[in-house]
Amino acid sequence: MKFFVDTADVSEIKDLAATGLLDGVTTNPSLIAKSGRKILDVISEICELVDGPVSAEVAATDFETMLKEGQKLSKIASNVTVKVPLTVDGLKTCKALSDDGIMVNVTLCFSANQALLAAKAGASFVSPFVGRLDDIGEDGMFLIEDIVGIYDNYPSLGTEVLAASIRHTAHVLAAAKAGAHVATIPPNVIRQLYNHPLTDKGLEAFLADWASTGQSIL
Ligand code: E4P
């Protein structure tokens, strides 16, 4: 499973990209607003830091304007993935951009039927929002399982399932078990993936024993 980070905070992205384990980035209008910066500047900086897909979301809701916005965003760098909402106009935009060879991430997906439509529209990624379904008392991970299963029935579909609205490390594990191609994860949750108290305890003991030998490897 590929790991994308879900943030528009450039310093966080720089830090995580340095690990060599970051496969891409997703942003959305709320994350851009939180950054307090201009979308074109932020996306361009992120694209310089990360080689993988960087999602930049359109802000219009009608086809004509979304298409123009998508075309403009796609010109920032070759790894920009234009993000469009799962609406009729959004999917029309997805089809038009995809036909032009531009990667598209269809966002705000809350049902398997919506995911089928995104795939038919040629999306590179579809983003089912796990946490927001959990928030309303549903199990968001069932949706990931459903979509992965349905897409598997049609091997010619090129759309990747991007588990979004990930809130904690258990979501990451469940997305991997469900076969999601990608999970986009907030920076704090990515960092939590490294942690285990037995790793800390074990390392502490190894270091103490090593010190007692008085040796040096270098
Ligand atoms: C997906 O691309 C979205 O940016 C994001 O995952 C939404 O997460 P939230 O529901 O925590 O806002």
Side-chain angles (χ1 to χ4, degrees), residues 6-7 26-32 34 57 83 85-86 107-111 114 127-144 162-168 171 184 186:
D6 197 27
T7 184
T26 53
T27 67
N28 64 35
S30 306
L31 293 169
I32 296 290
K34 194 172 162 197
E57 190 159 341
K83 210 168 171 190
L86 210 152
T107 189
L108 292 169
C109 173
F110 292 96
S111 79
Q114 288 182 318
S127 292
F129 276 37
V130 175
R132 292 194 195 184
L133 280 169
D134 290 357
D135 289 346
I136 61 161
E138 293 187 28
D139 187 335
M141 211 45 76
F142 284 154
L143 178 58
I144 301 290
L162 194 168
S165 190
I166 295 286
R167 301 280 170 76
H168 45 70
H171 273 157
T184 189

Side-chain angles (χ1 to χ4, degrees), residues 158-179:
T159 309
E160 296 191 39
V161 180
L162 194 168
S165 190
I166 295 286
R167 301 280 170 76
H168 45 70
T169 55
H171 273 157
V172 179
L173 187 58
K177 284 183 180 171

Side-chain angles (χ1 to χ4, degrees), residues 5-25:
V5 65
D6 197 27
T7 184
D9 183 328
V10 173
S11 66
E12 288 274 28
I13 294 167
K14 200 178 282 177
D15 210 44
L16 290 164
T19 65
L21 303 182
L22 191 61
D23 301 303
V25 177

Side-chain angles (χ1 to χ4, degrees), residues 21-99:
L21 303 182
L22 191 61
D23 301 303
V25 177
T26 53
T27 67
N28 64 35
S30 306
L31 293 169
I32 296 290
K34 194 172 162 197
S35 78
R37 301 188 55 205
K38 293 205 181 308
I39 184 167
L40 300 183
D41 297 343
V42 183
I43 297 299
S44 145
E45 261 183 60
I46 297 173
C47 288
E48 278 172 25
L49 294 170
V50 178
D51 293 333
V54 174
S55 289
E57 190 159 341
V58 298
T61 53
D62 65 286
F63 168 66
E64 285 77 15
T65 322
M66 269 197 259
L67 186 60
K68 281 187 201 145
E69 288 181 348
Q71 287 163 338
K72 183 166 179 176
L73 291 169
S74 75
K75 290 198 173 73
I76 297 174
S78 59
N79 54 333
V80 166
T81 302
V82 177
K83 210 168 171 190
V84 300
L86 210 152
T87 60
V88 173
D89 283 48
L91 291 186
K92 274 173 72 179
T93 309
C94 173
K95 178 89 177 66
L97 293 171
S98 301
D99 285 350

